Amino acid sequence: SPYHGFSVEFAEHRLYNEGQSTRHIDWKVFARTDRLFTKQYEEETNLRCVIALDCSSSMYYPKENLQKIRFSIYSAAALAYLLNKQHDAVGLCLFTDRIEEFTPIRSTATHLDKLFTLLDRRLKSTETNRSTRVAEVLHEIAEKTHRRSLVMVFSDMFEGGDDEEIFKALQHLKHNKHEVVLFHVTDHQSELDFKFEERPYEFVDLENGEKVILNPYEIKDRFVAQLKEYHHKLKMKCNQLKIDFISADIQHGYFEVLQAYLIKRIKMR
């Protein structure tokens, strides 16, 4: 619930009660109505949130339904709406190999509309070959977000670089006193378990356009082992840093994943 005070955003008029300070009487309203009203304002609540959304080309997989980016955008929109309804302040960071959008952190209805517009535009984007630099972006978010905040990250974390750099970036956010939630967005069936029919496929790297033709059966064991090792290391590092790690399978849908996480969070209070 919002804290009421006299410092930030105008909320409503209240009838003046005898004994109240006259400092906040709205004299313009008195001139029109011949009745005394005081202006009431809403202070900012303690919670400030930055939703960081990976918009690199790998997030537009599978290409036929853009499920990873769609899952992330719907989740971000739902969380932004929820935070706004609680009178909490929320901002949005859209990134690829650099930060492309970084909005202020605000709690107004017009600001929420702006966030929805940015998310809708990103869902309809047709740009290709956009690479990822998660570590660099997270370092930059840590530097740009000066006040203690909740930072929610939606990404598949497929950077292809040094894993330790990603861990250092997450540690940077925690060092700056931010609470961090990582939604690791993947298609578990095809990306983590590599389930394909036993026949040749043409695989295309969505971030650089490289193509390779191979039979998934030939590399499945090695591929799955490496992905599971990375997934495990990422989860363990988040646990060490006290970061909420949510393994988000896009096949389950954003509602199911968010509902399970929010119920868990309520029980932790």
Side-chain angles (χ1 to χ4, degrees), residues 48-176:
R48 293 161 49 83
C49 178
V50 177
I51 300 176
L53 182 59
D54 183 353
C55 299
S56 61
S57 294
S58 66
M59 291 291 288
Y60 286 75
Y61 172 86
K63 260 188 124 175
E64 58 271 17
N65 55 20
L66 311 178
Q67 198 64 21
K68 285 203 302 191
I69 193 71
R70 189 181 299 277
F71 173 97
S72 302
I73 285 175
Y74 286 176
S75 299
L79 288 167
Y81 179 82
L82 178 63
L83 289 161
N84 181 265
K85 287 300 176 184
Q86 293 179 170
H87 299 272
D88 291 322
V90 60
L92 183 65
C93 173
L94 303 178
F95 69 90
T96 53
D97 56 349
R98 59 185 175 83
I99 291 178
E100 298 187 353
E101 296 278 355
F102 200 115
T103 73
I105 303 174
R106 292 177 181 159
S107 58
T108 62
T110 53
H111 181 65
L112 181 65
D113 285 342
K114 178 184 177 182
L115 301 189
F116 287 163
T117 300
L118 288 172
L119 290 170
D120 184 57
R121 189 183 304 155
R122 185 58 62 174
L123 186 60
K124 295 173 181 174
S125 172
T126 56
E127 292 180 45
T128 56
N129 298 342
R130 291 177 298 186
S131 58
T132 318
R133 288 184 181 169
V134 179
E136 288 183 23
V137 167
L138 294 182
H139 279 302
E140 195 171 345
I141 291 172
E143 293 300 324
K144 285 177 175 287
T145 310
H146 301 297
R147 291 173 58 184
R148 185 177 180 179
S149 302
L150 169 64
V151 179
M152 290 186 164
V153 182
F154 288 86
S155 174
D156 54 17
M157 305 300 281
F158 291 155
E159 182 172 317
D162 186 354
D163 298 344
E164 288 302 319
E165 288 304 313
I166 293 178
F167 301 153
K168 286 177 185 176
L170 291 169
Q171 192 166 10
H172 188 182
L173 285 167
K174 290 296 292 184
H175 179 75
N176 286 15

Side-chain angles (χ1 to χ4, degrees), residues 185-245:
V185 183
T186 55
D187 181 353
H188 285 199
Q189 181 173 315
S190 64
E191 290 185 308
L192 295 188
D193 298 331
F194 209 57
K195 287 186 178 178
F196 292 93
E197 294 177 15
E198 192 177 339
R199 62 176 178 82
Y201 284 84
E202 181 182 64
F203 290 92
V204 181
D205 188 322
L206 292 175
E207 297 196 359
N208 60 27
E210 289 184 13
K211 299 178 182 180
V212 60
I213 298 175
L214 54 82
N215 189 324
Y217 184 76
E218 296 172 358
I219 65 164
K220 180 177 180 178
D221 291 344
R222 190 165 71 252
F223 182 90
V224 169
Q226 289 182 359
L227 257 292
K228 284 191 174 176
E229 181 186 3
Y230 173 65
H231 189 265
H232 179 73
K233 282 171 63 179
L234 186 60
K235 185 176 181 179
M236 289 300 101
K237 190 64 180 180
C238 286
N239 288 340
Q240 289 173 17
L241 296 172
K242 293 183 169 55
I243 291 173
D244 276 353
F245 177 86

